[in-house]
Amino acid sequence: MSEVQTAAADMWFDPMCPWAWMTSRWLTEVEKVRPVRVRWHVMSLSVLNEGRDLPADYRALMDDGWGAVRVVTAAGQEVGDHVVKPLYDAMGTRFHPGGRTDRRVVVQESLAEVGLDPDLMDAYDSTAWDESLRASHRRGIDQVGEDVGTPIVAVNGVAFFGPVVTPAPRGEDAGRLWDGCILVAGTPGFFELKRTRTQGPQF
């Protein structure tokens, strides 16, 4: 009997995006039921929306969206990629199901939870890590195009935006959604399958 090979998948996320959070919860379930291991990468809605004409309230969110993703970038570069997912989990749990809006405090608490140097907080207001952040963002966007956002998922040379799903499927339901995504995304010439969202993310 041949050994099942584990596929390497990649996901790009912005810690502030609730839909990316839902996708990350789904992929965490997929790892339990399919031979898949996910590598986690940052992208940034703030970078994506640079130069765009946005409503004032959304522009304010984008202007305030740099800090968390900068800290995740710095942690990954300084400590190693293995801390990216735990730090994302800690932040996302507070931001999304936790409903926290005190972003700076959330990032400080998350660094402490993961056991990381509190000095990584210096990255929150620094542009020192922006080149690395932008490079990671570009690696994701280059695979799917400019007219999408976060999350981006890639596997076996195929990349796609999404899935945008709520609540996050669990168990074999998560596996079946994975199978379907790989099938349609791997079909030559396939670009889009979409319907209007009728509810927000259910954490």
Side-chain angles (χ1 to χ4, degrees):
M1 184 165 137
S2 62
E3 183 178 343
V4 176
Q5 299 227 331
T6 299
D10 297 271
M11 177 178 161
W12 281 262
F13 66 90
D14 184 320
M16 302 307 306
C17 177
W19 293 107
W21 177 253
M22 299 307 302
T23 302
S24 73
R25 300 310 90 186
W26 163 67
L27 282 177
T28 300
E29 287 290 310
V30 170
E31 288 185 306
K32 300 174 185 176
V33 296
R34 294 292 184 270
V36 175
R37 288 296 171 264
V38 182
R39 298 175 296 206
W40 305 87
H41 312 276
V42 293
M43 64 180 295
S44 169
L45 290 172
S46 297
V47 172
L48 187 71
N49 285 288
E50 280 183 315
R52 295 184 178 180
D53 185 16
L54 301 173
D57 55 345
Y58 193 65
R59 170 53 62 197
L61 284 174
M62 293 301 98
D63 291 345
D64 193 36
W66 290 90
V69 73
R70 281 171 170 165
V71 172
V72 177
T73 301
Q77 296 277 308
E78 289 285 296
V79 183
D81 289 340
H82 65 282
V83 304
V84 170
K85 176 62 162 35
L87 185 55
Y88 177 37
D89 288 344
M91 288 184 188
T93 299
R94 289 169 170 79
F95 282 139
H96 304 304
R100 298 275 296 277
T101 58
D102 47 344
R103 296 182 178 184
R104 191 179 298 269
V105 176
V106 162
V107 175
Q108 290 172 330
E109 291 178 359
S110 299
L111 287 171
E113 178 182 321
V114 180
L116 295 173
D117 188 340
D119 286 347
L120 285 166
M121 195 66 200
D122 293 345
Y124 194 97
D125 297 305
S126 172
T127 60
W129 300 100
D130 286 6
E131 184 176 351
S132 295
L133 166 57
R134 290 177 185 276
S136 179
H137 176 92
R138 177 52 53 190
R139 284 192 293 272
I141 285 292
D142 280 350
Q143 298 184 65
V144 292
E146 296 286 346
D147 58 341
V148 302
T150 176
I152 294 168
V153 176
V155 63
N156 297 333
V158 175
F160 50 90
F161 164 68
V164 176
V165 60
T166 190
R170 299 187 177 278
E172 186 57 24
D173 287 342
R176 282 193 294 268
L177 178 57
W178 172 259
D179 298 339
C181 287
I182 299 307
L183 176 63
V184 297
T187 301
F190 179 85
F191 293 107
E192 189 170 4
L193 183 69
K194 187 174 183 179
R195 60 183 175 182
T196 300
R197 288 196 298 256
T198 58
Q199 57 185 308
Q202 300 175 39
F203 304 122

